[in-house]
Amino acid sequence: MNLDFNKNEDAMKMALSQLRARFEKIAQGGGKKAMEKQKEKNKLSPRERINYLIDKDSHFLEIAAFAGYEMYEEYGGCPAGGTVAGIGYVSGRQCVIVANDQTVKAGAWFPITGKKNLRMQEISMENNLPIIYLVDSAGVFLPMQDEIFPDKEHFGRIFRNNAQMSAKGITQIAAVMGACVAGGAYLPIMSDETLMVEGNGSIYLAGSYLVKAAIGEDIDSETLGGAVTHTEISGIADYKFNTEQECLDQIKKIMGKLAPPDKNIYNHASALAPKKKPEEMYGIIPVDSSKAYDMLDIIGCLVDDSAFEQFKEDYGKTILCGYARVEGWAVGIVANQRKIVKSKKGEMQMGGVIYNDSADKAARFIMNCNQKKIPLVFLQDVTGFMVGSRSEHAGIIKDGAKMVNAVANSVVPKITIIIGNSFGAGNYAMCGKAYDPRFIYAWPTAKIAVMGGDQAAKTLLQIQVSALKSKGKQITAEDEKKLLDEIKDRYEKQTSPYYAASRLWIDAIIDPADTRKAIAEGIRAASNNPEIKEFKTGVIQV
């Protein structure tokens, strides 16, 4: 082990320690007092509900745990977006689980809550996965109603999705374990089956206080919309239970009777462990994101038997393309090569930059994988496309557009892992969020921005200094340095994976050692949906 490896490993372990510490704080939800109130009502926390529901010793892949991170601080924050969600196994069946966190503002919906719930429904629809809603919410967070209520991607879209998912035959089960108020009352009723916990679960369009204000009727919440009312009088709910555990047991029984998914169309073989330990990746990724390293070393830690069959190995060397297996699943890998390489003409090419030949190669490989129905895995550490007269005259825009076209029109599942830099159009070409990856994850080393921090800060500084000088202000060297540091700090914060995760630009920040598991779970999820469209690219300039 060399000194650089040890430094890199130490930095990664510190980053992972910080990740765990921040997650532990998020997992406390609305705090100790709010959790104690749940216990007083004989209610489990959302994570306890999920842990009870999923199969023993199975893995729960949590999605968007950092949704809302460091947002809405004027309202006391919104840990995990007020919802715990992810992919787990119930009675042996892979499914999506969404649980409101009543300890966070009574489970009220912030704008990020709506975005997170829509993302979970999208995962369910794309992969034909059953979805289980564990409902315990006071409805829309009224101080921010204008940002959650009326638009296309707001609260109402949830119920539109309920209807479309039902039409597609996707199983939806709703367990009402607490409040289910106003517009939110439609979610369990638009699900296939509705379960309620007596004494705590309630469903109504307007609570007792609003009913009193609106029509003058005095009525308590349980009589208005409790489990007995909806199972014996209105017929809205299908089952009632004395405890949450009994309710969750019934969900297990329902899931155990679902028909198995259609036969998988993606190639799967017996899994083999990589010859290199996944933890070796900790020492490979440089602390300084501008430094070079060999992406083949990363791939060797991720794929079965460390076997990677390169496509066009000696052409377009700043992008690696090739076939491999991850936990038995056949995949096509498109990865940015970060070490300095020689082009076919003997010129030195910077690592992490997409050149004409690299874009051309990647586009062809992506089309091949679509033709063969092989899922794609993108390993991003990209600073963008090559600039300058030589690249422009060679048609870098044309070649880049060819690659973007192939990514955009891909019909096989795409899974993106942001390892390091994800800058500019490189983010798009390597299947960033805008290009509909089935799942997109980031390592703690990820940076997502339109350009690198130094370049962006200097550009923004020039703009600000020019604006100040045009107003007749004198700018000293000290003033410039202070401005540059402020801009840099702000920009660096915005490039952080936590900033991206809080806004759902990525699904989760993961430990590099868990990457194999995340990729395999993603392809396993996709295999539940055997329908695959015809691959068409439209017009491409050759």
Side-chain angles (χ1 to χ4, degrees):
M1 297 288 178
N2 60 37
L3 186 60
D4 284 342
F5 186 97
N6 290 335
K7 284 182 178 177
N8 296 339
E9 186 178 41
D10 288 345
M12 180 64 81
K13 286 181 176 178
M14 284 181 66
L16 291 172
S17 177
Q18 183 185 59
L19 175 65
R20 285 189 287 270
R22 289 177 174 179
F23 174 78
E24 284 170 10
K25 187 175 180 181
I26 286 168
Q28 294 170 11
K32 189 177 178 181
K33 285 186 178 179
M35 288 289 185
E36 286 172 354
K37 284 185 179 179
Q38 285 280 94
K39 301 297 180 195
E40 289 169 9
K41 297 175 184 176
N42 294 318
K43 295 170 73 174
L44 302 172
S45 72
R47 284 187 167 80
E48 287 172 337
R49 288 167 177 165
I50 291 171
N51 287 338
Y52 185 90
L53 179 63
I54 62 174
D55 295 344
K56 190 178 180 182
D57 299 326
S58 68
H59 175 66
F60 180 67
L61 179 61
E62 186 163 350
I63 302 290
F66 283 90
Y69 182 73
E70 293 186 340
M71 295 170 66
Y72 315 119
E73 291 182 346
E74 66 273 33
Y75 298 113
C78 185
T83 305
V84 181
I87 296 173
Y89 291 83
V90 178
S91 299
R93 186 67 183 269
Q94 191 182 36
C95 59
V96 173
I97 304 172
V98 182
N100 299 120
D101 189 347
Q102 207 273 340
T103 71
V104 179
K105 292 288 187 295
W109 288 55
F110 284 70
I112 198 67
T113 315
K115 190 173 181 179
K116 180 171 177 176
N117 278 263
L118 288 170
R119 172 62 181 141
M120 299 315 297
Q121 287 185 321
E122 179 182 46
I123 290 171
S124 172
M125 288 187 281
E126 280 187 329
N127 301 292
N128 197 35
L129 289 176
I131 186 166
I132 298 167
Y133 307 101
L134 305 180
V135 185
D136 195 347
S137 171
V140 167
F141 185 61
L142 289 177
M144 301 189 77
Q145 63 86 26
D146 60 322
E147 296 181 48
I148 181 62
F149 172 66
D151 209 347
K152 181 178 178 180
E153 299 300 328
H154 284 178
F155 191 64
R157 188 81 170 183
I158 302 287
F159 318 124
R160 174 263 191 194
N161 287 350
N162 285 145
Q164 293 217 332
M165 291 161 77
S166 183
K168 290 177 180 178
I170 296 172
T171 297
Q172 299 178 82
I173 300 169
V176 181
M177 299 175 154
C180 185
V181 184
Y186 288 103
L187 183 145
I189 312 313
M190 296 184 77
S191 297
D192 300 352
E193 300 194 59
T194 303
L195 302 80
M196 295 185 73
V197 177
E198 196 169 350
N200 283 329
S202 57
I203 305 172
Y204 36 66
L205 292 179
S208 55
Y209 293 122
L210 184 53
V211 167
K212 174 68 174 177
I215 62 173
E217 181 183 0
D218 284 306
I219 190 168
D220 64 272
S221 293
E222 192 67 20
T223 306
L224 180 64
V228 172
T229 295
H230 286 313
T231 55
E232 297 182 16
I233 300 173
S234 73
I236 281 173
D238 305 306
Y239 312 89
K240 69 174 185 288
F241 303 93
N242 293 321
T243 68
E244 293 194 3
Q245 288 85 349
E246 291 174 1
C247 180
L248 294 168
D249 286 338
Q250 180 63 28
I251 294 176
K252 295 177 187 181
K253 291 175 184 176
I254 294 169
M255 291 295 294
K257 293 179 175 65
L258 295 186
D262 291 335
K263 191 176 180 181
N264 171 50
I265 61 169
Y266 305 115
N267 188 285
H268 189 258
S270 297
L272 295 171
K275 288 178 179 175
K276 297 181 178 181
K277 291 182 179 179
E279 289 79 8
E280 285 185 39
M281 292 185 286
Y282 296 171
I284 296 170
I285 298 296
V287 177
D288 181 349
S289 63
S290 67
K291 284 191 173 180
Y293 63 92
D294 194 343
M295 183 63 83
L296 285 170
D297 292 335
I298 296 292
I299 293 172
C301 296
L302 290 177
V303 303
D304 289 14
D305 202 35
S306 299
F308 181 55
E309 303 160 23
Q310 282 206 58
F311 173 82
K312 291 185 183 287
E313 182 176 352
D314 299 318
Y315 178 75
K317 293 182 180 180
T318 65
I319 287 185
L320 300 171
C321 297
Y323 302 104
R325 289 188 183 274
V326 176
E327 292 200 359
W329 295 100
V331 297
I333 294 175
V334 181
N336 302 111
Q337 174 57 289
R338 281 305 310 269
K339 74 175 185 178
I340 297 170
V341 298
K342 275 189 180 181
S343 73
K344 57 189 175 183
K345 297 178 182 177
E347 301 159 342
M348 301 309 291
Q349 294 184 335
M350 292 185 290
V353 178
I354 303 175
Y355 289 78
N356 298 72
D357 52 359
S358 303
D360 177 64
K361 174 174 93 171
R364 175 63 183 271
F365 180 72
I366 290 163
M367 289 189 277
N368 279 355
C369 287
N370 276 274
Q371 192 83 345
K372 296 178 175 72
K373 306 294 186 287
I374 298 174
L376 284 159
V377 174
F378 292 84
L379 303 178
Q380 280 199 21
D381 194 345
V382 59
T383 53
F385 284 86
M386 190 58 191
V387 297
S389 60
R390 182 177 295 179
S391 290
E392 296 292 359
H393 295 171
I396 188 66
I397 298 173
K398 175 188 70 176
D399 291 322
K402 190 191 304 181
M403 183 178 174
V404 168
N405 191 309
V407 173
N409 285 298
S410 284
V411 293
V412 294
K414 297 170 290 189
I415 297 172
T416 300
I417 313 292
I418 304 175
I419 289 174
N421 300 321
S422 179
F423 295 159
N427 170 282
Y428 303 155
M430 291 295 293
C431 198
K433 180 70 172 178
Y435 287 77
D436 295 325
R438 291 289 178 101
F439 299 92
I440 178 168
Y441 300 107
W443 289 3
T445 44
K447 292 183 178 181
I448 305 166
V450 72
M451 65 176 74
D454 286 337
Q455 305 96 305
K458 287 171 184 175
T459 303
L460 290 166
L461 176 68
Q462 290 172 14
I463 294 167
Q464 287 196 23
V465 168
S466 296
L468 290 168
K469 285 181 177 178
S470 69
K471 293 175 182 177
K473 294 185 178 180
Q474 295 294 318
I475 305 296
T476 66
E478 289 78 11
D479 291 335
E480 281 201 20
K481 185 180 183 307
K482 187 180 177 184
L483 263 176
L484 180 63
D485 289 343
E486 288 174 358
I487 293 168
K488 217 170 184 179
D489 287 345
R490 185 171 67 247
Y491 197 86
E492 286 296 325
K493 183 180 179 182
Q494 291 175 355
T495 66
S496 156
Y498 294 96
Y499 192 89
S502 71
R503 289 153 180 81
L504 288 177
W505 302 344
I506 56 176
D507 288 323
I509 305 170
I510 62 172
D511 182 335
D514 291 334
T515 305
R516 272 172 58 82
K517 190 184 296 180
I519 292 170
E521 280 298 304
I523 300 173
R524 192 171 288 112
S527 72
N528 284 274
N529 187 359
E531 291 183 21
I532 194 161
K533 298 176 184 176
E534 183 183 354
F535 177 59
K536 296 180 180 179
T537 58
V539 177
I540 294 181
Q541 290 195 27
V542 180

